[in-house]
Amino acid sequence: MWVYDDARAALRDALRLSRAMTYKAAVADLPLGGGKGVIMATPAGGWPSDRRHAALLDFADTVAALDGRYITAEDVGTSSRDMSVIAQRTRHVAGLSRRRGGSGDPSAFTALGVEAAIQACCERAFGSDSLRGRTLAVIGLGHVGSRVATRCARAGARLLLSDVDQGKRRFAEDLRARWTAPERALESAVDVLVPCALGGFLDDRTVRRLQCRVIAGAANNQLADDRIADLLAARGIVWAPDFVVNAGGLINIAQELDGYDAARARRRVTGIADTLRHIFDDAESMDTTPLTAAMELARKRLVAR
Ligand code: NAD
């Protein structure tokens, strides 16, 4: 659920996000295709709770009409409580609370996968997967970013934190992390940039200004277009494809299909590190970017189904 300038922008986003979901499910080797639902919220200030509730029910009716060809779950702007509202109209909803037999908010698993991805990238860039003493800039301290920051702080990383919401400053203080504005965080001289807000921020202009060695974060669709992956590689920056890094939530939710087991879900989510190693090796041997190697892996798996 997000605020868009117009319906065309919302549709474009839904198409881009569903394309990423297809790659994400295929690379993670899940028995799922790709789809994404977008609820276009009203401009700043939000809407009254009864209208929000009605929008969720309308969305639920659309999901119900698809009769299992689309299964919905939480993402930006929604929570497992919202999934309970949707479940009033359709059973094709995942990520319900544990109390209701679901696997709960996927963000913790997304964060676990992001940490595993950061470690695999550090191994590639610096020869060690340890985060002790590494400098990380995390942009976006919502459900996923705050958890990634907490996990990486525990692993000994030194953090620079940032969010458009100044209210998140308190969280940075509690973690004893430095705080800066998002545009400064993007250009900061750190080992790892961890984007956990919205996508599209890596373009010709921003890539020229980057000073990090690694980019690995949860934000969907980080590249303004696929060509940006070549620019990042030319600058010697290890960029981990977002749809590989942020698959933890989807991997976790997919476990609901065979009877949910949290320990199995954790094992599969931390396997994101091995998937990335495989992609980096392929990229090196094919003399291409990690984006092309990851898309090729997805394509092979889709063809094999
Ligand atoms: P969220 O809405 O909980 O948090 C997003 C945070 O980013 C908020 O704190 C917001 O204030 C901040 N933000 C927004 N615009 C910003 C900007 N320009 N600069 C800095 N901060 C900004 O969302 P989330 O669930 O944590 O998801 C974060 C990203 O990860 C999204 O791109 C989402 O699609 C992706 N993702 C999330 C999950 C999941 O499990 N929640 C799974 C896969 C991918």
Side-chain angles (χ1 to χ4, degrees):
M1 184 182 291
W2 197 248
V3 176
Y4 294 95
D5 289 340
D6 53 34
R8 200 177 279 244
L11 181 61
R12 202 166 37 237
D13 203 26
L15 290 172
R16 272 169 59 82
L17 288 166
S18 54
R19 172 187 187 246
M21 289 300 283
T22 307
Y23 286 133
K24 193 182 305 194
V27 169
D29 213 8
L30 299 172
L32 298 169
K36 197 73 168 185
V38 156
I39 301 176
M40 184 172 155
T42 49
W47 47 20
S49 60
D50 57 332
R51 280 196 61 203
R52 191 173 193 283
H53 188 85
L56 288 168
L57 291 179
D58 278 352
F59 182 74
D61 288 340
T62 308
V63 174
L66 291 168
D67 199 21
R69 275 169 293 156
Y70 175 69
I71 304 169
T72 196
E74 299 92 330
D75 203 337
V76 175
T78 57
S79 64
S80 57
R81 201 178 306 159
D82 295 325
M83 296 309 112
S84 301
V85 175
I86 291 172
Q88 291 170 21
R89 297 275 177 89
T90 176
R91 63 190 172 85
H92 301 298
V93 51
L96 289 170
S97 67
R98 297 296 285 269
R99 197 167 37 83
R100 296 202 51 179
S103 59
D105 180 350
S107 309
F109 286 87
T110 304
L112 177 67
V114 173
E115 186 193 17
I118 293 170
Q119 289 167 332
C121 290
C122 284
E123 186 182 281
R124 188 64 43 168
F126 309 113
S128 162
D129 68 357
S130 170
L131 299 187
R132 183 149 302 281
R134 288 264 160 254
T135 51
L136 268 65
V138 183
I139 305 178
L141 302 168
H143 290 88
V144 181
S146 60
R147 289 178 166 98
V148 172
T150 304
R151 297 191 70 90
C152 293
R154 280 196 202 123
R158 290 187 287 137
L159 299 177
L160 177 64
L161 302 183
S162 182
D163 198 294
V164 281
D165 177 359
Q166 287 289 326
K168 301 284 166 75
R169 220 178 162 133
R170 179 69 203 273
F171 170 80
E173 284 162 14
D174 290 347
L175 270 190
R176 296 172 187 276
R178 286 186 300 136
W179 173 267
T180 192
E183 55 282 7
R184 282 181 164 243
L186 190 63
E187 297 173 11
S188 59
V190 286
D191 294 324
V192 187
L193 188 65
V194 188
C196 292
L198 300 181
F201 63 93
L202 289 172
D203 56 24
D204 295 78
R205 189 183 65 89
T206 53
V207 168
R208 273 200 301 275
R209 298 180 179 192
L210 294 172
Q211 296 191 67
C212 57
R213 281 289 311 282
V214 167
I215 305 176
N220 273 311
N221 292 331
Q222 294 167 18
L223 308 183
D225 61 66
D226 291 354
R227 188 181 46 84
I228 302 297
D230 298 288
L231 299 183
L232 288 165
R235 287 215 49 206
I237 296 171
V238 176
W239 178 74
D242 39 26
F243 56 83
V244 183
V245 175
N246 68 18
L250 181 65
I251 293 171
N252 179 57
I253 276 182
Q255 307 307 305
E256 288 184 25
L257 303 174
D258 310 320
Y260 186 67
D261 174 348
R264 187 182 58 201
R266 284 182 70 83
R267 271 196 308 280
R268 288 211 57 178
V269 171
T270 50
I272 285 175
D274 280 337
T275 305
L276 265 180
R277 289 184 187 105
H278 180 89
I279 287 167
F280 290 142
D281 286 346
D282 279 358
E284 217 168 276
S285 64
M286 288 155 60
D287 193 21
T288 186
T289 64
L291 176 65
T292 303
M295 283 166 55
E296 183 56 23
L297 176 62
R299 202 188 57 77
K300 274 190 198 146
R301 290 203 167 140
L302 288 169
V303 167
R305 274 190 199 161

